[in-house]
Amino acid sequence: MKTFASLVEEVQKPGLCHLCGGCLTFCTAINYGALEMDEDGMPYLSDMEKCTECGLCYSICPEINELDDDIRKNAGWSEPMGRIMETHVAHAIEPEIRQNATDGGVVTGLLLHLFEEGRIDGAIVTKPSGRLQREPWLAITREEIAASAGFYFDTSHGMKRFLDGYSIYTPSTRKLKSMLQQGLRKVALVGMPCQITAIRKTEALGVLPSDSIHYCLGLFCSGNFFCGSEQQEKLAEIGGFEWENVQKYNIKETFLIHLKDGETKSIPLEHLDFMKRPACRFCADYAAEFADISCGGIGAPEGQTTVIIRTQTGRRLFNDACGQTIELFDAKDKVNLIAKALKQIEAASAAKKRLSAKHRQAL
Ligand SMILES: Cc1cc2nc3c(=O)[nH]c(=O)nc-3n(C[C@H](O)[C@H](O)[C@H](O)COP(=O)(O)OP(=O)(O)OC[C@H]3O[C@@H](n4cnc5c(N)ncnc54)[C@H](O)[C@@H]3O)c2cc1C
Ligand code: SF4
Ligand code: SF4
Ligand code: SF4
């Protein structure tokens, strides 16, 4: 039986750990409590006595492929980037949500719709934790869900405030434990592709807390960028901007830095390699291939979100929310816009898969 020790050998030691928190969350959720997380977010075996050698942590790890066939079958997965039922470009109706959102605010709009209709009693999201770091958050009121939108800089305290150890990745699955403790039975999860994969694996195994997660909203992901003080300085140099002038940023085809004077700086993603978290180099999922609905900015005009609907659950949710909390972008040539967006996603997805294969070969 493979256990956490096998994860250490096969995933952590070769540098493949995504720090998704999946193993730790599920070990804790089932009350084993054998694992803890070190200050870098890396799970470790803290109490050997508590390890029952159930092997669950091993099976659900996104880097372990023993359940890949099951989750692909369950999701109706197909080449080249998972099941695609529909693609849209859309935005949240509420101006305040749009203003705070990363792109069009569709993710937040969908969550608000679910909450207002009583279809969820909470959402696992993130919130800024003060130093430009995101931390996992279980939002259980309308206000909290609305406040989870976006991905903003607060530069009012100067550069130093957000320089240390900033990472745009958040192990949101850690919040699953508090969800169970609070007895929440209907929850939506917003996560990166690796986090959605871990959830789907628990579904395939039929273990807690997958039965409480009714909706998986995935974000497109070209990588997790670690942004400490050195990286911030280099980024400003490459982009030719001052941090004090930054209004917000987002990731689409490139890394976009929106300045307070209205100018937008654009940095090609490959130029961010110096700050990419090592494990992300091996990751092959760009488009959140196992989510109910996957969202990104790529292919959409500024202020809009590109949306891929992948499951019947996702389709029902999107259709119900349309006209309530979100609406479709009213483009002149919608068909062309969507076809172009899909092509861009496909290209980004293929490039990520190629890069992942190349890096794995070099291991
Ligand atoms: C690390 C990262 C990399 C990304 N890379 C790309 C990319 O290469 N191409 C692309 O097109 N799109 C990418 N995205 C997705 C994009 O930035 C937007 O999140 C997406 O378009 C949804 O926008 P929205 O306005 O609809 O979401 P919003 O309504 O603003 O909601 C965003 C939701 O995401 C949650 N969230 C924010 N940051 C994180 C985080 N670090 N971890 C987990 N949840 C988070 C928020 O809590 C909120 O629930 C990336 C996102 C992240 C976090
Ligand atoms: S108890 Fe199970 S899930 Fe927890 S560390 Fe041991 S093998 Fe992994
Ligand atoms: S489940 Fe996630 S955190 Fe745990 S070893 Fe695997 S990749 Fe790392
Ligand atoms: S690239 Fe994105 S999905 Fe892949 S491991 Fe990194 S954060 Fe997770």
Side-chain angles (χ1 to χ4, degrees):
M1 167 67 80
K2 301 263 193 174
T3 65
F4 187 75
S6 322
L7 274 187
V8 172
E9 289 305 314
E10 295 175 36
V11 178
Q12 294 188 343
K13 282 191 181 166
L16 298 170
C17 177
H18 304 190
L19 309 181
C20 70
C23 52
L24 175 131
T25 304
F26 297 105
C27 182
T28 313
I30 47 185
N31 278 326
Y32 293 147
L35 303 181
E36 297 264 353
M37 190 175 266
D38 73 15
E39 54 188 24
D40 298 325
M42 182 76 83
Y44 67 93
L45 189 61
S46 61
D47 191 342
M48 194 102 76
E49 298 281 297
K50 287 188 180 162
C51 177
T52 61
E53 303 198 342
C54 67
L56 187 60
C57 54
Y58 184 85
S59 302
I60 62 114
C61 173
E63 268 302 312
I64 300 300
N65 56 17
E66 64 180 30
L67 289 173
D68 284 6
D69 287 347
D70 299 74
I71 63 167
R72 284 185 174 195
K73 196 167 153 231
N74 292 347
W77 190 92
S78 60
E79 295 285 0
M81 53 174 184
R83 187 181 191 193
I84 299 178
M85 297 174 84
E86 293 169 28
T87 307
H88 299 285
V89 173
H91 57 261
I93 292 175
E94 217 176 296
E96 205 177 306
I97 302 292
R98 283 207 304 276
Q99 200 190 338
N100 295 329
T102 320
D103 291 307
V106 168
V107 172
T108 306
L110 292 171
L111 294 177
L112 286 175
H113 177 71
L114 288 171
F115 190 76
E116 283 162 0
E117 293 291 309
R119 282 153 68 184
I120 55 170
D121 24 54
I124 297 170
V125 288
T126 66
K127 67 172 173 182
S129 53
R131 290 187 147 218
L132 236 208
Q133 262 174 316
R134 283 256 163 191
E135 66 178 37
W137 193 24
L138 179 60
I140 54 169
T141 64
R142 188 189 192 281
E143 292 66 35
E144 287 177 351
I145 291 174
S148 71
F151 195 138
Y152 276 78
F153 274 170
D154 172 0
T155 54
S156 58
H157 298 260
M159 197 163 156
K160 194 79 194 115
R161 187 174 184 281
F162 53 84
L163 290 187
D164 301 317
Y166 168 58
S167 159
I168 58 174
Y169 181 82
T170 312
S172 312
T173 44
R174 276 204 332 243
K175 272 290 155 191
L176 293 172
K177 189 182 164 210
S178 44
M179 175 195 100
L180 289 174
Q181 283 167 340
Q182 292 183 38
L184 301 186
R185 304 312 304 171
K186 293 179 295 177
V187 170
L189 176 122
V190 180
M192 308 315 294
C194 54
Q195 295 169 327
I196 305 285
T197 301
I199 298 293
R200 294 306 189 204
K201 289 187 175 182
T202 64
E203 272 174 17
L205 289 170
V207 294
L208 279 173
S210 60
D211 60 335
S212 304
I213 300 186
H214 289 212
Y215 303 90
C216 283
L217 305 184
L219 307 177
F220 295 173
C221 182
S222 44
N224 158 33
F225 303 102
F226 182 78
C227 216
S229 44
E230 269 178 40
Q231 291 90 340
Q232 291 265 348
E233 262 174 52
K234 195 164 167 186
L235 200 60
E237 203 182 301
I238 296 172
F241 63 88
E242 302 286 330
W243 286 106
E244 285 75 17
N245 299 333
V246 173
Q247 175 77 26
K248 78 163 198 168
Y249 68 94
N250 57 348
I251 305 175
K252 289 177 172 246
E253 297 84 345
T254 59
F255 189 72
L256 297 169
I257 298 113
H258 305 273
L259 304 181
K260 288 175 186 162
D261 64 5
E263 194 190 349
T264 299
K265 300 281 186 182
S266 168
I267 304 179
L269 291 178
E270 57 273 22
H271 292 187
L272 303 185
D273 256 12
F274 70 96
M275 55 189 246
K276 202 174 202 172
R277 202 179 48 178
C280 295
R281 297 176 211 278
F282 302 98
C283 174
D285 188 349
Y286 175 85
E289 295 173 9
F290 295 99
D292 291 308
I293 298 181
S294 313
C295 294
I298 191 170
E302 200 51 47
Q304 305 291 328
T305 307
T306 307
V307 182
I308 293 182
I309 296 176
R310 299 187 177 280
T311 65
Q312 290 294 359
T313 304
R315 180 187 263 167
R316 268 195 304 275
L317 164 58
F318 190 83
N319 288 342
D320 288 354
C322 257
Q324 304 291 321
T325 55
I326 58 168
E327 63 189 3
L328 297 177
F329 177 57
D330 191 16
K332 269 197 193 126
D333 189 356
K334 212 185 265 181
V335 176
N336 207 13
L337 174 76
I338 287 170
K340 231 171 114 193
L342 253 183
K343 267 204 171 143
Q344 281 178 275
I345 301 165
E346 247 179 66
S349 167
K352 192 170 177 186
K353 288 181 196 301
R354 273 196 307 275
L355 213 59
S356 156
K358 189 177 136 197
H359 287 138
R360 278 176 197 275
Q361 248 174 11
L363 269 180

